[in-house]
Amino acid sequence: MSTSVDRFDLVERPRRLRRTAAIRRLVQENRLSAADLVLPVFVREGATEPIAIGSMPGVVQHSRDSLMRAATEAAEAGVGGIMIFGVPKERDACGDVAIASDSILAEAVRWTKQATGNSLPVIADLCLDEFTSHGHCGVLDADGNVDNDATLAVYQQMGITLAEAGSDILGLSGMMDGQVGAVREALDDAGHLDTAILAYAAKYASAFYGPFRDAVESALQGDRKTYQQDPANALESLREVRLDIAEGADMVMVKPALPYLDILARTADSVDVPVAAYIVSGEYSMIEAAAAAGMIDRERAILEAHMSVKRAGASVICTYWATEVARLIK
Ligand code: PBG
């Protein structure tokens, strides 16, 4: 004890509540829960065993069997949901393969439901970029521009295919205007009143999707700046969120997560539906690469990233670490 130190007459000493681990636990404002986490998975048509993804260490393109194992493990760990992306063998200009009832994505939805039933909500990605030969999220017009309304008609058919396959929720990630309303109408007309829609409402044209394009073997040349948002804009996100909810979105998403926590917080403050955030491939790979290089403590960085997203207002977090984080916080 340094008795010679003069004591200051401080009215508040916030450090009192940080003194022991037990006190810190008592006053912790946010807690991560496995139930909030959604595991995104890639399923490759024709794969007989999992295939490593070079730019996403620890993430694979699944085969049927490895998908069913991963879904079962996620459910057992208490993960809240699974989000499926298909990697087809064949692609075409119109994404016709995306509509077929035996598309790799529809099949993967069936396999997952077979493995985990109603214990793990299945979110199927509803977008064309994995299925088009040019890699865009929609079909192109004669000038090579993404044709919004022609794309909506394809999304409607794809939505019905994925609902029929048993998807609990459809993840509308294409950023076409009117996509939520168009798909909702098609689902309702086909009797799929209970299939929910998660709208990727505020989705930015981001460099952080780089490794994902590797994961789905995207053929994209150029960029998505005519449909995804400019990272400079914030107000535009509130507009996108407002429109999607007006069109019937059951949940909205902000994506990517960590560079857009301000958008996430503003969105969470402005709506009365669940708000999801997606810690995307580039965010995943940056932390994995820095940890592999010995630059940061891997587990602490992962947990801190998830807690930041939760604190900013996400009630659902899509993360490639979902199963691991669910186990870590148990
Ligand atoms: C498009 C889609 C993308 C991601 C999810 N859905 C890629 C893109 O918009 O280019 C990215 C997810 C990630 O980077 O982890 N269907």
Side-chain angles (χ1 to χ4, degrees), residues 18-329:
R18 299 181 198 131
R19 191 170 56 84
T20 68
I23 296 173
R24 291 193 294 273
R25 177 168 172 266
L26 174 70
V27 300
Q28 187 175 328
E29 294 177 37
N30 290 285
R31 262 179 251 277
L32 284 173
S33 156
D36 299 338
L37 308 175
V38 169
L39 176 69
V41 290
F42 304 103
V43 187
R44 191 179 205 279
E45 188 173 5
T48 50
E49 56 189 273
I51 302 165
I53 299 164
S55 56
M56 296 183 77
V59 179
V60 299
Q61 292 177 328
H62 283 290
S63 64
R64 176 180 186 274
D65 290 352
S66 73
L67 167 70
M68 291 172 81
R69 265 199 309 278
T72 305
E73 282 173 19
E76 282 169 3
V79 165
I82 189 165
M83 172 181 270
I84 309 178
F85 296 95
V87 185
K89 267 188 192 154
E90 311 277 335
R91 295 158 195 239
D92 60 39
C94 305
D96 280 347
V97 272
I99 296 169
S101 60
D102 62 349
S103 77
I104 180 60
L105 183 52
E107 292 285 58
V109 167
R110 285 187 201 96
W111 300 333
T112 308
K113 291 306 284 186
Q114 208 178 309
T116 49
N118 274 342
S119 68
L120 192 66
V122 169
I123 306 170
D125 184 61
L126 199 168
C127 188
L128 288 182
D129 65 311
E130 285 96 53
F131 298 94
T132 51
S133 45
H134 45 72
H136 274 294
C137 296
V139 298
L140 305 183
D141 66 18
D143 300 324
N145 298 313
V146 175
D147 185 330
N148 193 86
D149 295 21
T151 300
L152 294 184
V154 186
Y155 284 0
Q156 287 182 313
Q157 296 182 61
M158 190 175 177
I160 291 170
T161 295
L162 297 174
E164 278 171 359
S167 310
D168 297 290
I169 303 170
L170 303 181
L172 273 58
S173 64
M175 288 297 281
M176 295 301 123
D177 292 339
Q179 63 182 12
V180 173
V183 171
R184 182 73 271 160
E185 184 186 301
L187 290 173
D188 289 352
D189 287 350
H192 298 293
L193 300 174
D194 290 331
T195 306
I197 291 179
L198 163 62
Y200 286 49
K203 179 173 179 181
Y204 285 87
S206 174
F208 295 101
Y209 305 147
F212 175 95
R213 300 201 181 151
D214 198 12
V216 298
E217 301 169 31
S218 171
L220 183 70
Q221 308 274 323
D223 59 54
R224 306 199 196 286
K225 291 179 184 171
T226 68
Y227 43 105
Q228 297 180 350
Q229 288 178 234
D230 183 341
N233 297 352
L235 204 52
E236 189 182 14
S237 286
L238 298 181
R239 183 184 197 195
E240 288 282 3
V241 166
R242 169 174 59 77
L243 289 169
D244 283 354
I245 292 176
E247 290 173 28
D250 299 287
M251 303 163 74
V252 293
M253 168 124 70
V254 172
K255 179 181 177 188
L258 298 168
Y260 298 91
L261 293 182
D262 57 328
I263 305 299
L264 179 56
R266 287 175 72 170
T267 300
D269 281 346
S270 75
V271 304
D272 61 1
V273 296
V275 176
Y278 194 147
I279 301 176
V280 301
S281 57
E283 301 177 81
Y284 172 89
S285 297
M286 280 197 300
I287 290 178
E288 289 290 349
M295 293 173 179
I296 53 171
D297 178 327
R298 181 176 175 280
E299 281 184 12
R300 282 190 60 196
I302 291 171
L303 289 174
E304 185 175 331
H306 288 70
M307 184 57 87
S308 305
V309 171
K310 171 102 186 194
R311 189 195 61 237
S315 49
V316 171
I317 304 173
C318 300
T319 164
Y320 298 99
W321 289 293
T323 304
E324 181 178 354
V325 168
R327 287 178 181 149
L328 283 174
I329 63 183

